[in-house]
Amino acid sequence: MPDMPDTSTPAHTEDTRRYWTRRIRDDGTWRTQGGVAVPAPGEDLAALRAGLGRSAGTVPKLWPFYTSETDGRVTPELEAEHAALALYGLHQQGRPSPMHRRRVSPGTALRALRESNRFSEEAVNRRVAATVSSTSVPAFVYRLRGLIAQLRLINQPLDYDELLNNIKDWHHTDARRRVRRDWGLAYYAWAPKPEQESASAAKTS
């Protein structure tokens, strides 16, 4: 399917190749054609979801959506793009608003999930901890799938460029530690809650 012409808002310069970037503008809204928003087609999303639980390069339906350069080998970037495409297809399914939004880190999105009251905080904490404790890319992506399904239920988007990079980094021990740290800082956002701030102020007054 050819890309849609769009003169509405220029895409950011980081990477305009990715599927979600070609469909969604920097402000988190759908790109337009003739002034009308054009959401991701259902047939595209179905093709992306076909990659869930499958290895990169093994699902012909996904081949037209790949943008990562390769010399015929499955590179960490291609593997990460395959996983991100499949997860995006799951996330966007049946959602009228875009589920990719720049600068919404995975940790931030998961904090919104924990605070949504849709699921118990304990259960979300447990699933997030299990995900970031994964020591292999397949295990990490498998556990992400359950979290993405929950984010979909609360209409919470995230930055899929960042998620793709996180999955790519998960191949390397040092980078994995950095991603784990970044997720943890965003997820818990260690800061006193309003009631704690009030109590602290009362003690010092």
Side-chain angles (χ1 to χ4, degrees):
M1 180 177 295
D3 294 344
M4 300 176 299
D6 185 359
T7 59
S8 48
T9 301
H12 67 92
T13 58
E14 180 183 349
D15 196 339
T16 58
R17 300 174 300 164
R18 307 301 185 190
Y19 178 80
W20 44 82
T21 309
R22 297 199 308 267
R23 289 286 175 181
I24 301 165
R25 298 186 295 185
D26 280 2
D27 62 0
T29 59
W30 293 114
R31 293 188 181 276
T32 60
Q33 191 171 27
V36 178
V38 183
E43 57 268 28
D44 283 10
L45 299 178
L48 299 182
R49 292 195 302 277
L52 291 168
R54 308 284 293 278
S55 300
T58 64
V59 184
K61 289 180 180 180
L62 258 71
W63 293 350
F65 299 96
Y66 291 155
T67 61
S68 299
E69 296 181 4
T70 177
D71 59 1
R73 295 176 297 172
V74 176
T75 63
E77 182 177 346
L78 179 60
E79 187 175 352
E81 184 180 26
H82 172 94
L85 283 166
L87 291 170
Y88 173 73
L90 172 66
H91 200 169
Q92 192 62 67
Q93 179 187 14
R95 301 295 91 182
S97 58
M99 291 294 103
H100 162 68
R101 186 170 301 163
R102 288 191 67 211
R103 302 187 185 91
V104 178
S105 71
T108 299
L110 292 171
R111 185 175 78 242
L113 177 66
R114 190 187 76 228
E115 296 173 350
S116 69
N117 295 321
R118 184 72 181 266
F119 308 96
S120 75
E121 287 192 16
E122 181 181 356
V124 177
N125 288 343
R126 195 163 51 242
R127 296 194 78 163
V128 171
T131 300
V132 299
S133 295
S134 304
T135 55
S136 70
V137 173
F140 181 56
V141 172
Y142 175 78
R143 289 167 177 161
L144 267 175
R145 181 174 175 176
L147 290 170
I148 292 297
Q150 291 184 323
L151 289 173
R152 174 181 171 274
L153 290 176
I154 66 166
N155 295 307
Q156 174 60 49
L158 60 81
D159 188 330
Y160 270 85
D161 289 316
E162 184 169 342
L163 183 64
L164 186 156
N165 287 327
N166 290 166
I167 296 170
K168 182 172 63 175
D169 287 343
W170 213 259
H171 285 85
H172 310 288
T173 302
D174 289 344
R176 189 187 310 144
R177 290 195 190 104
R178 176 184 55 76
V179 174
R180 188 179 289 132
R181 177 201 64 203
D182 291 346
W183 281 37
L185 291 171
Y187 181 67
Y188 282 102
W190 282 282
K193 295 181 179 180
E195 60 270 19
Q196 293 174 325
E197 290 179 337
S198 298
S200 177
K203 289 179 180 178
T204 57
S205 60

